[in-house]
Protein backbone atom coordinates (compact mmCIF):
# COMPACT_ATOMS: atom_id res chain seq x y z
CA UNK A 1 0.00 0.00 0.00
CA UNK A 2 1.41 3.39 -0.92
CA UNK A 3 0.62 6.70 0.81
CA UNK A 4 -1.08 8.03 -2.31
CA UNK A 5 -3.57 5.15 -2.35
CA UNK A 6 -4.46 5.26 1.30
CA UNK A 7 -6.08 7.44 3.92
CA UNK A 8 -5.07 8.15 7.51
CA UNK A 9 -6.02 5.61 10.17
CA UNK A 10 -8.24 7.36 12.70
CA UNK A 11 -7.75 4.80 15.43
CA UNK A 12 -5.61 1.94 16.61
CA UNK A 13 -8.05 -0.55 15.11
CA UNK A 14 -6.27 -0.22 11.76
CA UNK A 15 -9.26 -0.12 9.37
CA UNK A 16 -8.73 -1.42 5.86
CA UNK A 17 -7.20 0.87 3.22
CA UNK A 18 -5.75 3.33 5.70
CA UNK A 19 -2.29 4.84 5.89
CA UNK A 20 -0.73 2.87 8.74
CA UNK A 21 2.59 4.53 9.48
CA UNK A 22 1.34 7.87 10.90
CA UNK A 23 -0.87 6.07 13.43
CA UNK A 24 1.63 5.81 16.28
CA UNK A 25 2.62 9.47 16.06
CA UNK A 26 -1.02 10.52 15.75
CA UNK A 27 -1.90 8.40 18.76
CA UNK A 28 0.90 9.98 20.79
CA UNK A 29 -0.40 13.43 19.85
CA UNK A 30 -3.90 12.46 21.00
CA UNK A 31 -2.57 11.13 24.31
CA UNK A 32 -0.63 14.33 24.91
CA UNK A 33 -3.67 16.43 24.05
CA UNK A 34 -5.79 14.45 26.48
CA UNK A 35 -3.24 14.95 29.27
CA UNK A 36 -2.96 18.68 28.57
CA UNK A 37 -6.73 19.06 28.61
CA UNK A 38 -6.74 17.40 32.02
CA UNK A 39 -4.00 19.65 33.40
CA UNK A 40 -5.72 22.72 31.94
CA UNK A 41 -8.90 21.65 33.74
CA UNK A 42 -6.97 21.40 37.01
CA UNK A 43 -5.57 24.91 36.52
CA UNK A 44 -9.02 26.23 35.57
CA UNK A 45 -10.81 24.94 38.66
CA UNK A 46 -8.08 24.97 41.32
CA UNK A 47 -8.55 28.57 42.47
CA UNK A 48 -12.33 28.37 42.84
CA UNK A 49 -12.80 24.93 44.40
CA UNK A 50 -13.95 25.04 48.01
CA UNK A 51 -15.87 23.17 50.68
CA UNK A 52 -17.14 19.72 49.81
CA UNK A 53 -15.88 20.06 46.23
CA UNK A 54 -12.24 19.87 47.31
CA UNK A 55 -12.22 16.12 47.95
CA UNK A 56 -13.59 15.12 44.51
CA UNK A 57 -11.36 17.72 42.84
CA UNK A 58 -8.30 16.15 44.45
CA UNK A 59 -9.32 12.76 43.05
CA UNK A 60 -9.66 14.31 39.60
CA UNK A 61 -6.29 16.09 39.80
CA UNK A 62 -4.44 13.07 41.16
CA UNK A 63 -5.97 10.85 38.49
CA UNK A 64 -4.88 13.21 35.71
CA UNK A 65 -1.31 13.04 36.98
CA UNK A 66 -1.58 9.30 37.55
CA UNK A 67 -2.57 8.91 33.92
CA UNK A 68 0.37 11.12 32.92
CA UNK A 69 2.73 8.94 34.97
CA UNK A 70 1.24 5.77 33.50
CA UNK A 71 1.83 7.15 30.00
CA UNK A 72 5.49 7.95 30.71
CA UNK A 73 6.04 4.62 32.43
CA UNK A 74 4.73 2.69 29.42
CA UNK A 75 6.87 4.77 27.08
CA UNK A 76 10.04 4.14 29.04
CA UNK A 77 9.45 0.46 29.81
CA UNK A 78 7.75 -0.74 26.62
CA UNK A 79 7.25 1.63 23.68
CA UNK A 80 10.66 3.26 23.42
CA UNK A 81 12.67 0.04 23.95
CA UNK A 82 10.44 -1.76 21.44
CA UNK A 83 10.85 0.96 18.80
CA UNK A 84 14.59 1.14 19.41
CA UNK A 85 14.95 -2.51 18.44
CA UNK A 86 14.50 -1.30 14.86
CA UNK A 87 15.21 2.45 15.04
CA UNK A 88 18.48 2.04 16.93
CA UNK A 89 19.49 2.28 20.56
CA UNK A 90 19.50 5.86 21.77
CA UNK A 91 16.81 7.06 19.37
CA UNK A 92 14.66 8.23 22.28
CA UNK A 93 17.42 9.45 24.60
CA UNK A 94 16.31 13.05 24.21
CA UNK A 95 12.79 12.04 25.31
CA UNK A 96 14.12 10.48 28.50
CA UNK A 97 16.21 13.57 29.17
CA UNK A 98 13.28 15.92 28.64
CA UNK A 99 11.20 13.95 31.13
CA UNK A 100 13.71 14.93 33.82
CA UNK A 101 13.19 18.63 33.12
CA UNK A 102 9.63 18.69 34.46
CA UNK A 103 8.75 15.34 36.06
CA UNK A 104 10.30 16.29 39.46
CA UNK A 105 7.99 19.34 39.69
CA UNK A 106 5.02 17.18 38.74
CA UNK A 107 5.95 14.73 41.49
CA UNK A 108 6.21 17.58 43.99
CA UNK A 109 2.70 18.70 43.10
CA UNK A 110 1.37 15.16 43.38
CA UNK A 111 2.99 14.86 46.80
CA UNK A 112 1.31 18.09 47.90
CA UNK A 113 -2.11 16.97 46.59
CA UNK A 114 -1.80 13.70 48.50
CA UNK A 115 -0.89 15.54 51.69
CA UNK A 116 -4.00 17.71 51.32
CA UNK A 117 -6.05 14.58 50.68
CA UNK A 118 -4.66 13.02 53.87
CA UNK A 119 -5.37 16.16 55.91
CA UNK A 120 -1.69 16.98 56.45
CA UNK A 121 -1.84 20.30 54.59
CA UNK A 122 -4.42 22.96 53.83
CA UNK A 123 -5.83 23.26 50.33
CA UNK A 124 -4.26 26.13 48.37
CA UNK A 125 -5.53 26.57 44.82
CA UNK A 126 -3.02 29.29 44.03
CA UNK A 127 -0.16 26.99 44.95
CA UNK A 128 -1.51 24.37 42.54
CA UNK A 129 -1.74 26.85 39.68
CA UNK A 130 1.70 28.34 40.41
CA UNK A 131 3.28 24.88 40.44
CA UNK A 132 1.66 23.94 37.14
CA UNK A 133 2.95 27.17 35.61
CA UNK A 134 6.45 26.37 36.90
CA UNK A 135 6.73 23.24 34.75
CA UNK A 136 4.25 23.90 31.93
CA UNK A 137 6.71 25.37 29.40
CA UNK A 138 9.17 22.48 29.67
CA UNK A 139 6.33 19.96 29.63
CA UNK A 140 4.64 21.41 26.54
CA UNK A 141 7.95 21.63 24.68
CA UNK A 142 8.58 17.97 25.44
CA UNK A 143 5.10 16.83 24.46
CA UNK A 144 5.32 18.67 21.14
CA UNK A 145 8.84 17.56 20.24
CA UNK A 146 8.29 13.95 21.24
CA UNK A 147 5.73 13.41 18.47
CA UNK A 148 8.37 13.97 15.78
CA UNK A 149 10.33 10.96 17.04
CA UNK A 150 7.55 8.77 15.61
CA UNK A 151 7.65 10.41 12.18
CA UNK A 152 5.74 8.35 9.60
CA UNK A 153 8.71 8.20 7.22
CA UNK A 154 10.99 6.90 9.95
CA UNK A 155 8.43 4.28 10.97
CA UNK A 156 7.90 3.18 7.34
CA UNK A 157 11.62 2.74 6.79
CA UNK A 158 12.11 0.58 9.87
CA UNK A 159 8.93 -1.45 10.39
CA UNK A 160 6.59 -3.63 8.40
CA UNK A 161 2.87 -3.03 8.80
CA UNK A 162 2.48 -6.30 10.68
CA UNK A 163 5.27 -5.42 13.09
CA UNK A 164 3.53 -2.19 14.02
CA UNK A 165 0.22 -3.98 14.43
CA UNK A 166 1.87 -6.51 16.74
CA UNK A 167 3.48 -3.75 18.83
CA UNK A 168 0.16 -1.99 19.05
CA UNK A 169 -1.69 -5.13 20.13
CA UNK A 170 0.87 -5.84 22.85
CA UNK A 171 0.77 -2.22 23.98
CA UNK A 172 -3.02 -2.25 24.33
CA UNK A 173 -2.88 -5.47 26.35
CA UNK A 174 -0.45 -3.83 28.77
CA UNK A 175 -2.62 -0.72 29.07
CA UNK A 176 -5.74 -2.71 29.84
CA UNK A 177 -3.87 -4.88 32.34
CA UNK A 178 -2.26 -2.01 34.25
CA UNK A 179 -4.79 0.82 34.19
CA UNK A 180 -7.27 1.57 36.99
CA UNK A 181 -10.72 1.15 35.49
CA UNK A 182 -12.38 3.25 38.20
CA UNK A 183 -10.11 6.27 37.81
CA UNK A 184 -7.91 6.32 34.72
CA UNK A 185 -10.62 5.26 32.28
CA UNK A 186 -13.22 7.84 33.37
CA UNK A 187 -10.68 10.68 33.44
CA UNK A 188 -9.49 9.88 29.91
CA UNK A 189 -13.08 10.02 28.68
CA UNK A 190 -13.89 13.35 30.35
CA UNK A 191 -10.66 14.88 29.00
CA UNK A 192 -11.14 13.70 25.42
CA UNK A 193 -11.16 16.19 22.56
CA UNK A 194 -14.41 16.27 20.54
CA UNK A 195 -12.29 16.91 17.44
CA UNK A 196 -10.61 13.52 17.86
CA UNK A 197 -13.61 11.50 18.96
CA UNK A 198 -11.86 8.21 18.07
CA UNK A 199 -9.59 8.66 21.08
CA UNK A 200 -9.28 6.83 23.40
CA UNK A 201 -9.45 3.79 21.07
CA UNK A 202 -10.74 1.46 23.75
CA UNK A 203 -12.88 -1.60 23.01
CA UNK A 204 -16.53 -0.58 22.79
CA UNK A 205 -17.64 -2.71 25.74
CA UNK A 206 -14.97 -1.17 28.00
CA UNK A 207 -16.10 2.34 27.04
CA UNK A 208 -19.69 1.31 27.72
CA UNK A 209 -18.79 -0.19 31.10
CA UNK A 210 -16.89 2.96 32.03
CA UNK A 211 -19.87 5.19 31.22
CA UNK A 212 -22.37 2.98 32.99
CA UNK A 213 -20.40 1.52 35.90
CA UNK A 214 -16.75 2.40 36.51
CA UNK A 215 -17.37 6.15 36.68
CA UNK A 216 -19.79 5.80 39.60
CA UNK A 217 -17.23 5.31 42.38
CA UNK A 218 -15.91 8.88 41.99
CA UNK A 219 -18.65 10.37 39.82
CA UNK A 220 -18.41 13.84 41.37
CA UNK A 221 -14.73 13.99 40.41
CA UNK A 222 -15.35 13.60 36.68
CA UNK A 223 -17.48 16.76 36.63
CA UNK A 224 -14.22 18.75 36.50
CA UNK A 225 -13.35 17.35 33.07
CA UNK A 226 -13.86 19.62 30.04
CA UNK A 227 -16.37 17.18 28.51
CA UNK A 228 -18.82 14.61 29.83
CA UNK A 229 -18.38 10.86 29.47
CA UNK A 230 -19.79 11.01 25.93
CA UNK A 231 -17.49 13.79 24.75
CA UNK A 232 -20.03 16.62 24.98
CA UNK A 233 -18.36 19.91 26.04
CA UNK A 234 -19.38 21.23 29.45
CA UNK A 235 -20.65 24.80 29.63
Amino acid sequence: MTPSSSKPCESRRFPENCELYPVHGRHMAAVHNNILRGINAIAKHAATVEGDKIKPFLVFALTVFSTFHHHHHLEETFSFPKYEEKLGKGTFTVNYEQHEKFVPQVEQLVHYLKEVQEGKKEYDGKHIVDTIESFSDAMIQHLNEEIATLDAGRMRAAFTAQELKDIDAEFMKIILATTDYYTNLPVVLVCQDPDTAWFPPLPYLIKLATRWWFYRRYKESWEFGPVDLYGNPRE
Side-chain angles (χ1 to χ4, degrees):
M1 184 187 304
T2 63
S4 60
S5 65
S6 58
K7 60 184 179 180
C9 294
E10 291 189 344
S11 79
R12 306 210 113 198
R13 297 177 185 274
F14 302 114
E16 295 297 324
N17 301 317
C18 73
E19 170 55 36
L20 172 66
Y21 293 98
V23 169
H24 289 249
R26 185 176 292 115
H27 182 266
M28 179 180 282
V31 173
H32 291 177
N33 185 39
N34 189 275
I35 291 167
L36 288 174
R37 285 169 63 82
I39 295 175
N40 284 338
I42 295 170
K44 174 183 177 181
H45 294 290
T48 58
V49 169
E50 58 184 8
D52 59 2
K53 292 293 184 180
I54 292 176
K55 183 176 180 179
F57 177 71
L58 290 172
V59 171
F60 174 79
L62 285 168
T63 302
V64 169
F65 288 120
S66 169
T67 303
F68 196 7
H69 172 75
H70 188 240
H71 167 66
H72 276 162
H73 177 71
L74 291 180
E75 283 183 333
E76 295 183 352
T77 61
F78 175 77
S79 298
F80 293 166
K82 183 66 69 172
Y83 292 140
E84 285 188 344
E85 290 178 6
K86 286 295 192 73
L87 296 175
K89 188 172 179 60
T91 299
F92 297 96
T93 297
V94 65
N95 296 354
Y96 291 108
E97 293 174 347
Q98 286 182 338
H99 285 177
E100 296 306 313
K101 293 182 178 180
F102 63 90
V103 169
Q105 292 98 308
V106 173
E107 291 177 345
Q108 288 174 11
L109 179 54
V110 168
H111 180 71
Y112 165 76
L113 294 171
K114 288 181 178 179
E115 286 194 315
V116 175
Q117 194 176 52
E118 295 167 1
K120 296 177 180 178
K121 286 192 175 180
E122 292 294 320
Y123 178 83
D124 185 347
K126 184 178 183 303
H127 173 70
I128 294 172
V129 175
D130 289 345
T131 306
I132 290 174
E133 291 180 348
S134 75
F135 63 73
S136 60
D137 287 346
M139 176 186 67
I140 292 171
Q141 178 184 353
H142 161 71
L143 294 178
N144 287 334
E145 293 180 357
E146 190 175 53
I147 297 168
T149 61
L150 297 182
D151 173 73
R154 169 185 278 182
M155 303 299 279
R156 184 181 291 106
F159 295 93
T160 67
Q162 188 58 52
E163 286 172 336
L164 287 181
K165 289 182 180 181
D166 290 344
I167 291 173
D168 183 85
E170 187 175 355
F171 183 70
M172 289 301 294
K173 285 181 180 178
I174 295 172
I175 288 176
L176 295 177
T178 58
T179 197
D180 186 324
Y181 284 35
Y182 291 95
T183 56
N184 297 126
L185 292 189
V187 86
V188 169
L189 289 183
V190 299
C191 292
Q192 63 184 304
D193 188 337
D195 290 333
T196 53
W198 56 268
F199 184 87
L202 296 167
Y204 173 74
L205 289 179
I206 290 181
K207 279 189 177 181
L208 190 65
T210 301
R211 291 167 175 154
W212 284 86
W213 181 257
F214 296 129
Y215 88 97
R216 296 184 182 188
R217 182 174 295 180
Y218 304 107
K219 62 181 180 180
E220 293 182 356
S221 300
W222 316 134
E223 295 175 4
F224 294 100
V227 298
D228 64 19
L229 289 162
Y230 296 88
N232 300 308
R234 298 187 192 277
E235 298 182 1

